[in-house]
Amino acid sequence: MFDRIEGSVEISATDLELSYGNTIALKAEKLLVRGRVIGIIGHNGSGKSTLMKSMLELLQPRRGIIQAHWRSESGDYRLVPENHMAFSPENGAVFEDLPVESYLRLWCRIKHNDG
């Protein structure tokens, strides 16, 4: 089935800085990743979940921009978190580092497609 789908995902970030309060959690001057399947791997505390939360717009960058696109011969489409992305945390528990409002928005999106 996937062999017939043309195109790939592109994740890009420029001058990205993500933080929790005054603690800078992730910095990326320039990031560009392309592929049909993209895996985000790393040690505990390396910023995987922080990067995902930013892509899902659950964590707003302190500085910079991050975007995901679907690129194919027929066009370039920005991937919108509510319509095109999902995040399944390892343990399903409440995110300790996620503000209550963002946590509620996440569950509204998941359960009711409302944010």
Side-chain angles (χ1 to χ4, degrees):
M1 176 177 147
F2 291 108
D3 292 336
R4 291 178 275 176
I5 298 173
E6 298 290 328
S8 64
V9 173
E10 180 178 293
I11 300 169
S12 63
T14 304
D15 198 28
L16 185 65
E17 187 172 287
L18 302 168
S19 64
Y20 295 103
N22 292 327
T23 303
I24 296 172
L26 185 65
K27 283 178 134 181
E29 186 176 311
K30 190 156 186 88
L31 172 72
L32 180 59
V33 181
R34 289 187 190 122
R36 301 252 334 239
V37 176
I38 297 171
I40 300 172
I41 60 173
H43 294 288
N44 289 344
S46 64
K48 301 176 302 291
S49 294
T50 299
L51 181 66
M52 288 298 301
K53 289 174 192 173
S54 180
M55 283 179 27
L56 290 166
E57 299 175 0
L58 296 170
L59 178 62
Q60 297 301 314
R62 175 187 269 191
R63 189 175 75 207
I65 189 167
I66 184 167
Q67 292 184 333
H69 288 258
W70 177 259
R71 298 201 189 272
S72 68
E73 289 181 14
S74 63
D76 176 5
Y77 308 95
R78 182 175 179 273
L79 298 178
V80 178
E82 298 86 43
N83 300 330
H84 306 112
M85 298 180 205
F87 179 53
S88 179
E90 185 176 328
N91 58 16
V94 173
F95 298 113
E96 293 176 16
D97 57 348
L98 194 64
V100 173
E101 182 179 350
S102 295
Y103 185 76
L104 291 173
R105 285 185 182 174
L106 170 65
W107 281 107
C108 286
R109 280 177 165 161
I110 291 169
K111 296 293 185 180
H112 306 288
N113 197 23
D114 183 18

